[in-house]
Amino acid sequence: MRSSLSWPVVIIPFVLLHVHVTDSVERFSVVGLEQPLIAAIGEDAVLPCHLSPAVSAHDMEVRWFRSKFHAVVHLYRNGTDENDQQMPDFQGRTEFMKEDIGRGRVALRIRRIRLSDEGLYRCFFERGSTYDEAILELKTAEPFFPRVSPWIVAFAITSLLFLGLTALAVWYNMKQRRQRGMLSRSRERLFNEVVWRRGVMNPEPVTLDPRTANPELIVSEDRKTASRSDVRQNLPDDEERFDTEYCVLGQHAFSHGRHYWEVEVGDGPEWAVGVARESVRRRGAYMFSPEEAIWCVSLFVDRYQVLTNPETSLELANRPRKLGVFLDFESGQLSFFNGEDRSLIYSFPEIFSGRILPFFWIGRTGTEIRLCH
């Protein structure tokens, strides 16, 4: 009996150790530069990034691109460079530096930097279903003393003075402001996509809490769907229940971390989707707003709006049939996305604390909301 019982005791620790090691290898994040990299026009620039933890990237796909995933600056895959999809502007000018790839450290060298190279670059690592990316910014400077003979340098300086330093300064400032605006919009767009992709990888299995549902709302048995009825149900007068507003809350509260879930609103004529503090009022009628501990977007009388005080109108290019909600306690942000085309709808720059619940309002008979996942 002692001999037969000793095998599990010996084997189980090694199995648990193997699971722990495998899990730690599979998960990684990509780290880039926190500050912009400045390179002189005509010189080379090296954009580094690395994995954390420092795992080997030999068998990973490493892709450098700018605004579009398939617009390749440089691609390393299956142990070799595959640049048949490389953007024409970078052909013959890139080098993938992988001397330390065994520890997850790589870099991209771009030769003969041009003014058009300035902007944001994305370093993307992928192994199987696990991936992550970092965003780096490259800025260019026009070299004041080019590599030419002294008399040409003197002539260039004299010409610049002749044209007028004041005019040059005005032009340069206008250019910088314009480029900062373009980079800011591009960085915001890329950040939203990164946030979206990381959220989609780990959606929350949100369910509804029937105890909070207004008596004119019907919650399905699986607690995934709520619809508006024109008949008031005879339900217990629970203190948790909304007695006047046609609202229902999520089952589980969040108090830290990052959380993402999706809600199908279909063609419903009137709805609101967002979050509310656990202490939100359940009795009487009132206007939804952050002052009432409710943060949401809505469709009401054919108008999309953010329920701030006063309301903020939304001009949406496409009618959202599915909404993505991303609640980030770490950065203090609540963002709403169109679940079909990945476009950002609105972000609340709030500092959230305490217990926060998913919030839903169904304003008219015929409207139904359904929780995905």
Side-chain angles (χ1 to χ4, degrees):
M1 289 296 291
R2 291 181 179 177
S3 175
S4 63
L5 289 174
S6 63
W7 281 103
V9 175
V10 174
I11 292 174
I12 288 175
F14 285 97
V15 172
L16 293 176
L17 178 61
H18 174 72
V19 170
H20 173 74
V21 172
T22 301
D23 183 68
S24 64
V25 171
E26 287 300 324
R27 300 177 181 274
F28 59 81
S29 60
V30 182
V31 181
L33 297 175
E34 294 183 358
Q35 301 297 325
L37 178 68
I38 301 176
I41 293 177
E43 302 292 336
D44 293 355
V46 177
L47 303 175
C49 60
H50 65 273
L51 296 178
S52 178
V55 298
S56 174
H58 276 294
D59 60 342
M60 295 188 185
E61 174 181 319
V62 184
R63 179 185 298 255
W64 290 87
F65 61 102
R66 300 194 71 176
S67 61
K68 296 182 179 180
F69 186 81
H70 295 291
V72 175
V73 176
H74 197 99
L75 175 61
Y76 171 87
R77 184 166 56 190
N78 300 322
T80 185
D81 296 326
E82 298 183 7
N83 286 322
D84 53 322
Q85 303 178 35
Q86 191 177 37
M87 297 171 64
D89 287 348
F90 294 94
Q91 290 178 359
R93 293 203 298 130
T94 61
E95 176 189 358
F96 183 61
M97 305 173 68
K98 54 182 182 295
E99 292 79 7
D100 208 10
I101 197 172
R103 295 198 301 153
R105 293 184 172 272
V106 300
L108 179 69
R109 183 191 302 275
I110 303 177
R111 299 187 179 90
R112 304 180 300 280
I113 288 296
R114 307 169 181 171
L115 181 62
S116 60
D117 294 336
E118 186 172 273
L120 301 180
Y121 290 77
R122 300 163 70 176
C123 178
F124 175 90
F125 283 72
E126 181 178 25
R127 174 193 284 150
S129 61
T130 304
Y131 58 84
D132 197 14
E133 63 189 1
I135 300 176
L136 300 89
E137 183 177 353
L138 174 64
K139 289 188 175 182
T140 59
E142 297 176 37
F144 195 73
F145 293 101
R147 295 178 177 177
V148 293
S149 60
W151 72 267
I152 295 180
V153 173
F155 178 78
I157 294 175
T158 303
S159 298
L160 288 173
L161 291 174
F162 179 78
L163 294 175
L165 294 176
T166 302
L168 179 61
V170 171
W171 170 84
Y172 184 76
N173 287 334
M174 292 177 61
K175 173 178 174 290
Q176 288 294 96
R177 285 198 297 268
R178 184 170 61 253
Q179 290 184 340
R180 279 197 296 268
M182 294 173 60
L183 288 174
S184 178
R185 291 190 296 270
S186 180
R187 186 184 290 111
E188 179 182 2
R189 183 172 62 253
L190 293 176
F191 172 76
N192 291 334
E193 184 177 345
V194 171
V195 168
W196 169 274
R197 290 170 61 181
R198 289 178 176 171
V200 169
M201 289 173 62
N202 298 289
E204 296 281 345
V206 173
T207 56
L208 302 172
D209 186 355
R211 294 183 311 147
T212 66
N214 180 279
E216 291 189 27
L217 298 185
I218 300 175
V219 177
S220 62
E221 291 187 5
D222 63 0
R223 300 185 179 184
K224 288 289 187 179
T225 303
S227 58
R228 175 79 181 275
S229 170
D230 55 3
V231 177
R232 190 174 182 86
Q233 304 172 84
N234 185 17
L235 298 175
D237 188 19
D238 196 310
E239 292 183 356
E240 301 294 317
R241 191 179 306 282
F242 289 91
D243 67 341
T244 303
E245 299 294 349
Y246 306 114
C247 304
V248 61
L249 298 175
Q251 181 76 42
H252 300 293
F254 306 119
S255 59
H256 62 278
R258 297 182 174 92
H259 308 276
Y260 175 86
W261 62 93
E262 291 182 335
V263 186
E264 288 188 5
V265 294
D267 295 319
E270 290 186 358
W271 47 260
V273 172
V275 300
R277 205 176 301 280
E278 191 175 42
S279 59
V280 64
R281 280 204 285 161
R282 317 296 173 90
R283 302 296 176 179
Y286 53 93
M287 301 296 292
F288 303 156
S289 69
E291 288 77 12
E292 291 287 352
I294 297 173
W295 298 264
C296 61
V297 297
S298 74
L299 172 62
F300 182 71
V301 193
D302 296 324
R303 290 178 53 224
Y304 291 99
Q305 54 191 1
V306 184
L307 298 186
T308 50
N309 188 13
E311 294 88 355
T312 302
S313 296
L314 293 172
E315 298 296 333
L316 303 182
N318 299 313
R319 181 186 182 94
R321 299 173 59 85
K322 179 192 292 186
L323 294 178
V325 184
F326 188 76
L327 175 60
D328 187 351
F329 283 90
E330 308 302 323
S331 63
Q333 192 172 49
L334 172 67
S335 300
F336 296 88
F337 297 87
N338 186 321
E340 296 177 319
D341 64 14
R342 301 186 177 186
S343 60
L344 176 68
I345 294 176
Y346 188 80
S347 288
F348 281 97
E350 298 282 344
I351 303 299
F352 290 96
S353 61
R355 292 167 60 82
I356 303 296
L357 291 160
F359 172 87
F360 311 92
W361 173 78
I362 301 177
R364 192 188 303 176
T365 302
T367 301
E368 177 181 280
I369 60 102
R370 188 177 73 84
L371 296 170
C372 307
H373 307 293

